[in-house]
Amino acid sequence: MTSSSVTGLWKKLSGKFSKPSQYTSNTVAIIPRDEHCVSRKNISDAAIKVIRRLNEEGYDAFLVGGGVRDLLLGGQPKDFDIATNATPEQVRGVFRNSRIIGRRFRIVHVRFGNEIIEVTTFRGGHDAPSTSAQRNKHSARTESGMLTRDNVYGSVNEDAARRDLSINALYYSSRDFCVYDYVGGMRDLEQKLIRIIGDPETRYREDPVRMLRVVRFAAKLNFDIEKHTEEPLKRLAPLLTDISAARMFDEVIKLLMSGQGIQTYALLQRYGLFSPLFPATQKMLNQHEPATEAIIQQGLINTDARIAEGKPVTPAFIYAVLLWPVVKKVYKEILDSGVPEIPALHQAAERVLHKQQQTVAIPKRFSLPMRDIWELQSRLTRRTGKRAEQLLEHRYFRAGFDFLLLREQAGEVEAGLGQWWLAFQEAHADTRGAMLTQVPAGEKPRAPRRRRSPRKPR
Ligand code: ATP
Ligand code: MG
């Protein structure tokens, strides 16, 4: 459905239903099946089965979150989340093929073939006076207000109030096919607004990642950020440094590799949210290094274009782009201290990656190819005889070559080098020889090292 049909939907609704002007925890707008466009047809069979089974066992269960939001907007959800009043243990008891995961926020993964359905127990408020000791045992926060344990269970309307954005808190029931709206999510979908539920500052302090989610969905859906939701962002952005580096890795991928990287990056910059993620890169940007900005922008444009064309993208490439300006700077410093080129590049990569791991943990399966991509940059500018041929066989040649093209687009290397490599890859063996003879003299191999004189016998 396009945005205009969402508007149409709500117009239709407002004629028939009383739209609550103020949503309190007890207000709900119930939108019946013929008044919304969420259809069972578009929900995965596995998700429907999970809801059915839970209902059969006497539990409430709803489709919630991105699944409902994207279906209302006419898109195809990438996954389906379910909310229920069954506890994780009870859910586990209903599905053999399930397991409880998470500590800070316990959920159940139910597996159907290749599909995993996430089942979450309704969360309750942490601020309610604790009537039972159990509430404290399942809830914990740091001094800054961050929730380090969020396993207080509650009712469906309490659950809605605990979610991040109003548009992510719509519930679809496959029992009566209605959409339940406790927090004004339908209104915000219609008005294309990203609104955090509750008091923005408290909600960001509880979980600073919500600030990243605000900009992610604003960019992804092309929605505006409601003014109270927007106000604390810049001020509270530094709280992101409290988030574990492992959680941050997943978030950065969702931010920059969902097809709207360039818009997301602009919002991250506008609200000072990029700096806590990539402090070293930000430092270079602050020094008004045009080359740094150029390569990041171009890298994101290229990644967005690949995603739009359905081509694969790897986190290694985007992280290699984001850290390249820093690697180059550190490399130069190490070179200046007298270390030869190859070890200098290794050391620079090592140092930059080590520092970066403190804010965003990059797993080895990505940091290894990142090093190769960087190292290939110096090898690709030395086109000589056998070495050029050998480079074509390199495991990450393609990624290194794409990176070279990107640097060329960003004006960092001489124009034509990428074209040369493209032609070289496609050329016949004889032509390759001729191409290599035209390589500028500066790239030719250094004079071979003099052989040491044989050791004198003692
Ligand atoms: P998508 O899966 O398309 O990225 P989503 O909205 O489904 O978007 P998920 O990360 O799958 O995002 O989360 C599912 C739902 O859980 C969200 O829609 C939201 O209701 C809730 N949620 C997720 N993260 C948070 C958070 N940090 N704080 C509060 N609620 C959250
Ligand atoms: Mg989801």
Side-chain angles (χ1 to χ4, degrees), residues 146-164:
M146 189 162 90
L147 282 174
T148 49
R149 220 173 303 138
D150 187 0
N151 293 312
V152 177
Y153 303 131
S155 59
V156 59
N157 53 327
E158 282 183 292
D159 186 71
R162 302 283 318 142
R163 289 186 178 266
D164 57 349

Side-chain angles (χ1 to χ4, degrees), residues 84-287:
T84 177
N85 61 352
T87 63
E89 287 72 20
Q90 287 168 329
V91 176
R92 177 80 193 81
V94 175
F95 301 98
R96 242 182 336 122
N97 48 349
S98 67
R99 63 194 188 103
I100 299 176
I101 61 155
R103 255 166 62 92
R104 189 184 62 86
F105 194 90
R106 296 172 78 223
I107 56 175
V108 186
H109 274 176
V110 182
R111 180 182 283 281
F112 277 93
N114 284 336
E115 203 174 343
I116 288 179
I117 304 293
E118 249 177 49
V119 184
T120 313
T121 304
F122 296 150
R123 291 308 195 265
H126 293 255
D127 293 329
S130 81
T131 46
S132 70
Q134 201 198 19
R135 285 220 159 188
N136 287 333
K137 210 170 83 193
H138 296 286
S139 157
R141 43 172 113 226
T142 64
E143 242 166 55
S144 68
M146 189 162 90
L147 282 174
T148 49
R149 220 173 303 138
D150 187 0
N151 293 312
V152 177
Y153 303 131
S155 59
V156 59
N157 53 327
E158 282 183 292
D159 186 71
R162 302 283 318 142
R163 289 186 178 266
D164 57 349
L165 311 176
S166 62
I167 59 166
N168 286 347
L170 292 162
Y171 296 73
Y172 171 78
S173 162
S174 69
R175 211 157 18 193
D176 60 12
F177 314 110
C178 293
V179 171
Y180 291 72
D181 177 8
Y182 298 88
V183 291
M186 288 299 275
R187 172 197 60 200
D188 290 337
L189 271 186
E190 176 208 17
Q191 293 180 356
K192 297 173 144 236
L193 272 185
I194 299 296
R195 182 195 306 272
I196 190 133
I197 300 166
D199 172 57
E201 176 151 354
T202 311
R203 302 306 311 285
Y204 295 144
R205 283 190 181 278
E206 280 176 358
D207 181 5
V209 165
R210 289 176 187 146
M211 295 189 274
L212 297 179
R213 292 178 61 89
V214 163
V215 301
R216 172 152 77 90
F217 291 111
K220 174 177 161 166
L221 305 173
N222 195 18
F223 277 24
D224 288 331
I225 304 175
E226 181 272 331
K227 74 173 195 299
H228 297 101
T229 303
E230 180 182 31
E231 184 280 319
L233 290 176
K234 213 167 186 165
R235 196 159 39 84
L236 300 181
L239 291 178
L240 279 171
T241 47
D242 297 340
I243 301 296
S244 81
R247 186 170 176 215
M248 218 53 129
F249 175 77
D250 296 334
E251 291 303 324
V252 170
I253 292 192
K254 289 187 209 157
L255 284 163
L256 299 180
M257 293 181 53
S258 303
Q260 290 82 22
I262 194 82
Q263 293 92 326
T264 310
Y265 173 71
L267 291 178
L268 288 173
Q269 281 296 355
R270 183 188 303 169
Y271 299 115
L273 295 161
F274 184 78
S275 178
L277 304 179
F278 295 95
T281 311
Q282 185 63 44
K283 213 164 144 196
M284 298 206 57
L285 288 164
N286 292 347
Q287 289 157 4

Side-chain angles (χ1 to χ4, degrees), residues 64-67 69-70 77-81 118 213 216-217:
V64 67
R69 178 197 68 221
D70 292 346
K78 71 175 169 47
D79 52 33
F80 292 95
D81 303 307
E118 249 177 49
R213 292 178 61 89
R216 172 152 77 90
F217 291 111

